[in-house]
Amino acid sequence: MQSDTKTNLLRLVIVTAIVMCGCVLLSASAMAQCVMCKASLPSNSLFARNLNIGVLVLLVPPVSMFCTIFILAIRHRKSGELQNRER
């Protein structure tokens, strides 16, 4: 039973890592800017790149909070199933 839980957690971590790598690799299209940002930026491509990286950095905390809540919900659901089976 313990190894099954570890296997499921390992599988979840691997799938999450694959999805994250895919998002990073496909982020070139996500680097597109809205019209307002593009108009306000000078033609300096380095500044635009840094702005895009800053936006991605600001995206990390909400995504990590969502993933944490999601993992806790799955663990809680699984522990509830185990308690119901024991009864």
Side-chain angles (χ1 to χ4, degrees):
M1 186 62 78
Q2 184 76 336
S3 65
D4 188 38
T5 304
K6 287 183 180 180
T7 304
N8 287 340
L9 183 61
L10 181 63
R11 185 177 299 144
L12 179 67
V13 168
I14 290 172
V15 169
T16 304
I18 290 171
V19 169
M20 295 286 285
C21 288
C23 289
V24 168
L25 292 175
L26 298 175
S27 67
S29 62
M31 291 292 190
Q33 297 171 346
C34 70
V35 176
M36 295 280 295
C37 293
K38 198 164 202 139
S40 67
L41 288 176
S43 62
N44 187 353
S45 64
L46 180 63
F47 185 73
R49 182 176 181 274
N50 288 337
L51 178 69
N52 288 331
I53 291 172
V55 169
L56 292 177
V57 167
L58 289 173
L59 185 65
V60 170
V63 169
S64 62
M65 286 188 292
F66 172 77
C67 290
T68 302
I69 292 170
F70 185 73
I71 290 171
L72 290 174
I74 288 176
R75 284 185 182 175
H76 179 70
R77 183 188 70 179
K78 286 184 179 181
S79 68
E81 289 175 359
L82 292 175
Q83 290 175 354
N84 290 338
R85 287 183 191 168
E86 290 175 357
R87 290 181 187 173

